[in-house]
Amino acid sequence: MDVAAALEDARFDARQVSRHEDLAGDVRGPAELAEWERIEQLLAAAPAGTVYDPDTDLVVRAELEADAAAAAAREADLRAVARVAARADELQALRELGTLKQTEPRTGDEAARDELTRRASGYVQADVDGWLAHALAAHRGHYREPAAREKAAGLLSPPVLAHAALLAELARLMPDSNVDQMAFAARLATTEPEASGALAAFLARVEGTQL
């Protein structure tokens, strides 16, 4: 590789660009010139007769590794988006079959819930929110794990979390109650999530004083 010739060409191009105001914002030329100047300095510090080889250039290798890592990250992001979309499709199918309530939630369903809401132009999906709240309150599916329940606090909306907290306390106070008897909890949590959360905390204290 004739580094000297390439460097001279880059300098010539830079001079040409400097004469045209409409090209003043071009960053590719200066970056190319800086790279050739770096290579020239690299060879100047190397033993006489050294031929530049990009495969042994640590800077180039680092850039290639960074590019590969970025590409891998983008691919991982695309796969994650595809998984969320596929799960949202599955949940939608379960809704249409009327079997969503019996479905065990799993890791990533919080994102699928958000995807369903996005598809509905931001409208709250009450059945999906209720399903997740009941699962969280009863520790079903991946919510059996304390870490998953803790993580849900940062993934689910305040109404869903308040609904789950209220359901959990009501179930402790009235173990024989059924879903229909606690339908009011969803309405309270949707309209007054902060008050519902406070009520759940109060019920927990009441239960504690009765033990």
Side-chain angles (χ1 to χ4, degrees):
M1 178 182 295
D2 192 339
V3 175
L7 177 58
E8 185 56 35
D9 288 343
R11 285 172 175 164
F12 174 79
D13 290 341
R15 289 193 295 270
Q16 292 296 104
V17 168
S18 67
R19 297 191 180 102
H20 300 276
E21 293 184 2
D22 58 325
L23 298 177
D26 179 35
V27 297
R28 186 181 62 178
E32 182 178 349
L33 174 58
E35 178 64 7
W36 283 118
E37 289 175 341
R38 184 190 68 79
I39 294 173
E40 182 188 45
Q41 294 172 3
L42 185 67
L43 290 177
T50 299
V51 177
Y52 176 71
D53 182 358
D55 292 337
T56 61
D57 188 331
L58 296 180
V59 172
V60 172
R61 289 176 60 182
E63 290 176 347
L64 290 174
E65 290 173 0
D67 289 344
R74 287 193 297 272
E75 181 64 25
D77 288 343
L78 289 174
R79 288 196 298 268
V81 169
R83 284 195 298 270
V84 170
R87 180 57 171 170
D89 290 341
E90 183 179 352
L91 294 180
Q92 180 60 40
L94 291 169
R95 296 167 80 181
E96 294 170 359
L97 291 171
T99 57
L100 179 62
K101 291 182 180 179
Q102 291 76 46
T103 302
E104 290 282 289
R106 63 193 191 205
T107 301
D109 279 351
E110 298 87 359
R113 177 257 181 198
D114 292 343
E115 171 60 15
L116 287 170
T117 302
R118 184 194 66 78
R119 294 178 184 181
S121 300
Y123 287 102
V124 172
Q125 309 292 287
D127 56 342
V128 177
D129 281 3
W131 166 63
L132 285 173
H134 279 274
L136 182 56
H139 299 180
R140 289 173 48 210
H142 69 300
Y143 293 133
R144 293 187 184 92
E145 299 297 328
R149 297 197 296 273
E150 182 178 350
K151 188 176 181 180
L155 298 174
L156 295 173
S157 66
V160 177
L161 296 172
H163 186 189
L166 193 52
L167 286 173
E169 295 309 322
L170 290 172
R172 290 189 184 98
L173 290 171
M174 299 183 63
D176 296 331
S177 59
N178 58 45
V179 172
D180 293 334
Q181 289 175 317
M182 295 189 289
F184 65 89
R187 295 193 294 273
L188 285 175
T190 300
T191 57
E192 295 289 346
E194 291 186 7
S196 298
L199 176 58
F202 176 78
L203 292 176
R205 290 197 300 272
V206 169
E207 184 183 16
T209 60
Q210 294 175 345
L211 296 178

